[in-house]
């Protein structure tokens, strides 16, 4: 992808005007929502036919600035398009969420994480400034120096304080290849201790580590996956065809080495949606051989899940086979690194889901983000698990147990999926007082949904 600065800003301006016009066309009293073709949210919501905001002109990379290592992008620009525009300059976003269709605006307002997060924090930390359409219909430029209250409350607001139309973000230099080291552990405490040392020193065996995540297949089989950028040419693996990335991690003992291009590394989890493509049979050799390569991507699987939710296909299959209904457990939680083993031991004893993903993170700076108040200068581990379990006696029984355990361990969970907190619990965990103060200023007529209504009541 090439970015032509003489044309793209004009196109972006037209896109902003479309957005503003669509806002003005929504009748007073109607909730203002985005009208967009894709989503990476997993909250079930009632289908609505009311018109939404037209974001069709906000999906472009506006400009890449190699000299300042920054990029200007539309709020609906996908990371797939952004990475394609920056890699020719030897640059990439500081954090590239692992699914291609996640948008930059979505990762900032709804949070995002990846294997660079142990050194680069979360996507919103690399935002220099944003243009935001507020609930009051104003288009504001916000930054650490201008409308700071909105800038700091925007992360984890999920579009309930406004929508980003343009973001300026930092980039970092990257090399063309990533050398991988998959280190096996037979105990979770040993894995977490090794993770802690790598984060503390920034390296492993005297070599700087650029990327760090992990996979736990069982309490007795887990792996840290280290990525080291390199410009040394050589053979690389391909996991977009018949081979499957997460399976390549496993080995009997010690360390297993691998290599990918930097682009394939950034999207290594997208081809099979981590390991969730197995639910669609895509990992079976015969099915995989006939499943078109262009359809081996997270956005296709997400559409299949949405179709299932709409028509209840999986529930009908369970009923037909005289099996009890199942509860969806699709969550990412963050717990302090020192409580990670405790959570994992509890999880594997109470929740029949394997494998799980681990991704350490530390905020880049001592800065306040009130709607997701994890502590600066403290290491957390994102733990991701995405499957279903037999339904309990009450709605969301297993999800409720997980929420309680995460809270007990001084952690948080992402709000992209089902949540069951009471209003008081939600306020305490997600900056309720700060949220309401900013909401009153920038959305005084409540044209946008309330965060609790959107995240928990699924409106």
């Amino acid at each position: 992808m090439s970015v032509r600065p003489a044309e793209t800003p004009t196109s972006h301006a037209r896109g902003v005007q479309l957005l503003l016009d669509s806002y003005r066309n929504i009748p007073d009293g109607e909730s203002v929502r985005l009208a967009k073709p894709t989503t990476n949210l997993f909250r079930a919501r009632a289908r609505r036919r009311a018109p939404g905001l037209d974001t069709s002109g906000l999906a472009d990379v506006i400009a890449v600035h190699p000299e300042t290592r920054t990029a200007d992008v539309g709020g609906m620009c996908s990371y797939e398009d952004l990475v394609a525009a920056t890699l020719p300059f030897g640059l990439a976003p500081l954090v590239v969420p692992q699914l291609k269709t996640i948008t930059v605006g979505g990762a900032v307002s709804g949070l995002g994480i990846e294997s660079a997060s142990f050194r680069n924090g979360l996507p919103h930390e690399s935002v220099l400034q944003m243009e935001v359409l507020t609930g009051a219909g104003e288009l504001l430029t916000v930054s650490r120096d201008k409308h700071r209250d909105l800038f700091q409350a925007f992360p984890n607001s999920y579009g309930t304080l406004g929508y980003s139309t343009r973001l300026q973000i930092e980039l970092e230099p990257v090399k063309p290849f990533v050398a991988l080291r998959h280190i096996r552990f037979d105990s979770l405490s040993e894995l977490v201790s090794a993770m802690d040392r790598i984060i503390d020193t920034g390296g492993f065996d005297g070599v700087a580590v650029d990327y760090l995540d992990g996979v736990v297949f069982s309490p007795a089989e887990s792996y840290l996956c280290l990525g080291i950028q390199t410009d040394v040419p050589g053979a690389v693996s391909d996991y977009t065809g018949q081979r499957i990335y997460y399976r390549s991690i496993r080995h009997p003992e010690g360390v297993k080495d691998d290599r990918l291009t930097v682009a394939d590394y950034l999207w290594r989890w997208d081809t099979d949606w981590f390991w969730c493509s197995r639910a669609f049979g895509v990992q079976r050799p015969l099915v995989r051989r006939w499943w078109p390569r262009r359809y081996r991507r997270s956005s296709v699987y997400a559409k299949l899940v949405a179709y299932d939710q709409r028509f209840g296909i999986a529930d009908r299959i369970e009923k037909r086979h005289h099996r009890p209904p199942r509860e969806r457990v699709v969550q990412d939680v963050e717990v302090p690194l020192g409580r990670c083993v405790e959570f994992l031991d509890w999880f594997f004893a109470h929740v029949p889901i394997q494998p799980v993903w681990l991704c350490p993170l530390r905020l880049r700076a001592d800065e306040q983000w009130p709607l997701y108040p994890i502590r600066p200068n403290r290491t957390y581990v994102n733990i991701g698990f995405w499957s279903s379990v037999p339904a309990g006696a009450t709605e969301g029984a297993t999800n409720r147990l997980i929420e309680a355990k995460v809270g007990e361990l001084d952690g948080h969970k992402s709000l992209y999926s089902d949540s069951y907190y009471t209003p008081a619990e939600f306020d305490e965990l997600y900056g309720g007082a700060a949220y309401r103060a900013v909401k009153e200023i920038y959305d005084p007529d409540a044209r946008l949904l309330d965060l609790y209504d959107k995240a928990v009541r699924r409106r």
Side-chain angles (χ1 to χ4, degrees), residues 219-279:
E221 183 191 0
S222 57
Y223 300 85
L224 284 182
C225 304
L226 284 55
I228 298 103
Q229 293 184 29
T230 177
D231 52 14
V232 177
V236 293
S237 296
D238 177 10
Y239 297 105
T240 64
Q242 297 304 302
R243 300 172 66 194
I244 298 169
Y245 174 69
Y246 84 96
R247 292 184 179 176
S248 75
I249 294 170
R250 307 183 79 170
H251 57 276
E253 60 183 10
V255 179
K256 180 181 179 182
D257 294 327
D258 200 354
R259 277 170 56 93
L260 293 171
T261 66
V262 66
D264 281 349
Y265 177 81
L266 293 174
W267 304 128
R268 68 203 180 285
W269 291 121
D270 189 84
T271 302
D272 283 286
W273 211 11
F274 286 83
W275 34 81
C276 297
S277 67
R278 63 187 177 186

Side-chain angles (χ1 to χ4, degrees), residues 113-398:
I113 192 170
E114 235 295 76
S115 58
S117 289
F118 78 101
R119 58 184 177 85
N120 287 339
L122 300 174
H124 60 267
E125 294 188 85
S126 60
V127 175
L128 300 174
Q129 66 173 22
M130 295 182 287
E131 288 179 358
V132 176
L133 174 66
T134 69
E138 297 179 288
L139 191 63
L140 301 177
T141 299
V142 305
S143 68
R144 289 171 175 84
D145 302 317
K146 194 170 185 179
H147 300 293
R148 183 180 177 87
D149 54 350
L150 179 56
F151 182 82
Q152 291 184 313
F154 200 79
N156 210 45
S157 64
Y158 281 90
T160 65
L161 295 177
Y163 298 106
S164 58
T165 64
R166 181 187 63 84
L167 303 96
Q168 184 178 80
I169 66 168
E170 298 175 73
L171 306 173
E172 69 174 2
V174 292
K175 296 178 181 178
F177 304 100
V178 177
L180 298 175
R181 306 208 79 192
H182 303 311
I183 309 169
R184 176 168 174 150
F185 296 89
D186 298 325
S187 85
L188 293 172
S189 59
E190 290 177 1
L191 176 142
V192 171
S193 294
M195 181 188 293
D196 192 18
R197 289 193 300 272
I198 293 168
I199 295 167
D200 184 52
T201 64
F204 178 78
D205 284 350
V207 178
V209 173
D210 298 298
Y211 305 108
L212 178 63
D213 63 355
V215 179
V216 181
F217 290 92
S218 75
E221 183 191 0
S222 57
Y223 300 85
L224 284 182
C225 304
L226 284 55
I228 298 103
Q229 293 184 29
T230 177
D231 52 14
V232 177
V236 293
S237 296
D238 177 10
Y239 297 105
T240 64
Q242 297 304 302
R243 300 172 66 194
I244 298 169
Y245 174 69
Y246 84 96
R247 292 184 179 176
S248 75
I249 294 170
R250 307 183 79 170
H251 57 276
E253 60 183 10
V255 179
K256 180 181 179 182
D257 294 327
D258 200 354
R259 277 170 56 93
L260 293 171
T261 66
V262 66
D264 281 349
Y265 177 81
L266 293 174
W267 304 128
R268 68 203 180 285
W269 291 121
D270 189 84
T271 302
D272 283 286
W273 211 11
F274 286 83
W275 34 81
C276 297
S277 67
R278 63 187 177 186
F280 310 104
V282 181
Q283 296 181 23
R284 297 175 184 172
L286 182 60
V287 175
R288 196 173 188 86
R289 191 173 300 118
W290 290 100
W291 192 290
R293 186 184 293 250
R294 66 183 181 276
Y295 294 146
R296 294 182 206 141
R297 51 184 288 139
S298 61
S299 57
V300 171
Y301 309 135
K303 289 178 181 177
L304 294 176
V305 169
Y307 189 81
D308 169 60
Q309 290 176 349
R310 182 178 178 185
F311 296 103
I313 297 172
D315 291 341
R316 293 179 185 180
I317 292 174
E318 294 299 310
K319 186 175 182 179
R320 179 174 297 177
H321 288 86
H322 306 289
R323 294 191 293 256
R326 297 185 67 83
E327 174 188 351
R328 182 179 61 186
V329 181
V330 176
Q331 304 287 354
D332 279 74
V333 304
E334 268 104 40
V335 298
L337 183 139
R339 313 298 296 272
C340 182
V341 173
E342 185 178 352
F343 177 81
L344 289 171
D345 284 342
W346 174 88
F347 182 87
F348 287 123
H350 293 85
V351 184
I353 295 177
Q354 296 177 7
V356 303
W357 184 58
L358 306 181
C359 188
L361 71 116
R362 286 176 69 93
L363 295 181
R364 290 176 66 196
D366 187 6
E367 189 166 1
Q368 298 299 310
W369 308 100
L371 271 61
Y372 205 72
I374 61 176
R375 301 180 192 174
N377 305 309
R378 187 178 192 183
T379 301
Y380 292 78
V381 181
N382 176 281
I383 304 168
F385 36 92
W386 317 290
S387 189
S388 64
V389 301
T394 59
E395 181 189 2
T398 297

